[in-house]
Amino acid sequence: MATGTAGSGTAIGTEIGPAIGTEIGPAGRADGADTALATGRSGSGGGRLRRTLLAALVAAAVAVPISAAASANVPAPAPATFAEDTPARSRYAANSANLAEAVRTAEDADRPGRAARLRAMGAAGSAQFLTFDGRGRGRAVEVFGDLESADRIAVLVPGSDTTLDTYERFRAGAVSLQQRLQAEHPRSAVVAWLGYDTPGTVSTTVLSAGRADEAAAELAPFLDRLGDLAAPGARLSLLCHSYGSVVCARTGTGPAVSDMVLFGSPGTGAGSARELPTGARVWAGRGSVDWIGKVPHVRIGGIGFGTDPVDPAFGARAFDAGSVGHSDYLKPGTASLDSLAAVVLGSSSPDPEATHA
């Protein structure tokens, strides 16, 4: 369920993919496909389900120590802290300074790869970070557009293996969406919310909702504060990709959040949209060539995420995602990008013709 480029689990996925099952698609794909979620396609019965679960858990057990070694703690300064009423522009300035210091710290620690990626994050000179923490896998919350004047705001919540080391792909999607929104509505903004420790592509954490529960506890208060930084009465939309949809499904939202969009989702752990802790309209869509459509929608002992959100029985509003793959929903010129923009702008209606892969 990755949004970013695959992390250290990719190489392992190449080895264990056949054991998990080729029905899901190529193992260890460069787009960070979560082969570990191939848990429990019931097919021929319980024996097959047990074999698949065992293969996934064995794979994760092998992956965890290697992933941890590849993600050794990266030194960086402590993040800047702010009073609740600190305006956005003051936050941007402080976090920009913190990012520059993180670059120097990484260089001093002989971590040239991390230093280069952090330098790229601030290279434009106009980056707007509400939050930045360069330690370890890192966290960042970046704003695209003028938040203080925006009355249409999309908050992007990413999936697995999205870290500071894979951030550019996440950022590219946010930029693409912002350009699409502003073409129709200049008073729009996009917030790229890497505000949690995403699970690894091949790990035990990607099979359950533990990381999502931790993330939801961070996302809910952030959404409440975001309304105070934006234009009065701003309309917020949560756009939740892959494992990010598990996060959003556990996030209680206030009245400022008008729409919650689940795309490329493995499931949410809920049986229906009515069970989600939100009064927002819930949307779901999946590209016709997204490999995650082959992930079995089961939930056994806390493993897996149950009902497919694009199943009409789930009760979400359908939107047309076109023929995109798992990492392509926000690419320019795609039907999925047009549909997501329409939801954010409030001009979308449920699509009865939307295809569910």
Side-chain angles (χ1 to χ4, degrees):
M1 289 172 290
T3 299
T5 306
S8 56
T10 302
I12 299 165
T14 304
E15 299 298 323
I16 56 84
I20 295 176
T22 55
E23 294 180 27
I24 294 175
R29 283 177 45 171
D31 64 1
D34 302 53
T35 52
L37 264 180
T39 54
R41 180 180 293 278
S42 55
S44 57
R48 187 176 185 184
L49 173 61
R50 287 190 295 272
R51 287 194 300 273
T52 311
L53 282 168
L54 178 61
L57 292 173
V58 169
V62 172
V64 166
I66 298 176
S67 297
S71 301
N73 189 50
V74 178
T81 57
F82 306 99
E84 286 290 325
D85 59 351
T86 302
R89 295 190 183 282
S90 297
R91 295 170 189 259
Y92 299 158
N95 285 318
S96 178
N98 189 276
L99 191 156
E101 181 61 25
V103 171
R104 291 189 289 270
T105 304
E107 290 173 335
D108 292 344
D110 195 24
R111 300 296 293 267
R114 170 59 70 88
R117 285 182 282 272
L118 293 178
R119 195 178 296 110
M121 290 174 67
S126 58
Q128 302 180 138
F129 288 100
L130 287 173
T131 299
F132 174 78
D133 185 349
R135 299 172 299 180
R137 290 165 61 89
R139 297 189 183 191
V141 179
E142 187 172 6
V143 175
F144 303 86
D146 186 351
L147 183 60
E148 292 172 315
S149 67
D151 59 10
R152 296 290 184 273
I153 300 171
V155 179
L156 294 179
V157 181
S160 65
D161 272 332
T162 307
T163 69
L164 294 187
D165 292 316
T166 62
Y167 186 77
E168 279 306 304
R169 187 178 190 126
F170 182 41
R171 173 185 262 179
V175 170
S176 176
L177 177 61
Q178 174 62 0
Q179 291 173 342
R180 178 64 183 79
L181 292 173
Q182 289 214 315
E184 288 189 44
H185 189 80
R187 292 182 61 196
S188 60
V190 174
V191 178
W193 189 82
L194 177 53
Y196 77 112
D197 294 328
T198 63
T201 296
V202 183
S203 68
T204 53
T205 53
V206 82
L207 301 171
S208 70
R211 290 287 177 89
D213 288 331
E214 294 170 3
E218 299 286 341
L219 180 56
F222 170 78
L223 294 172
D224 290 339
R225 294 192 299 269
L226 185 61
D228 295 332
L229 296 172
R235 169 196 179 107
L236 307 183
S237 299
L238 269 178
L239 273 54
C240 318
H241 178 237
S242 200
Y243 189 88
S245 66
V246 187
V247 173
C248 291
R250 282 161 168 70
T251 301
T253 65
V257 177
S258 60
D259 295 274
M260 179 183 292
V261 191
L262 316 174
F263 56 105
S265 175
T268 65
S272 72
R274 292 187 301 276
E275 297 177 18
L276 305 186
T278 182
R281 293 174 296 188
V282 179
W283 303 76
R286 185 170 61 231
S288 62
V289 295
D290 185 344
W291 61 265
I292 211 164
K294 297 185 181 298
V295 168
H297 294 281
V298 297
R299 183 170 176 80
I300 301 175
I303 301 296
F305 300 110
T307 307
D308 188 346
V310 303
D311 186 328
F314 186 77
R317 298 172 176 230
F319 72 88
D320 180 17
S323 59
V324 297
H326 190 64
S327 297
D328 301 331
Y329 288 89
L330 295 173
K331 282 192 172 180
T334 58
S336 54
L337 179 62
D338 288 343
S339 294
L340 291 169
V343 172
V344 174
L345 297 177
S347 58
S348 183
S349 298
D351 184 357
E353 301 300 322
T355 57
H356 298 319

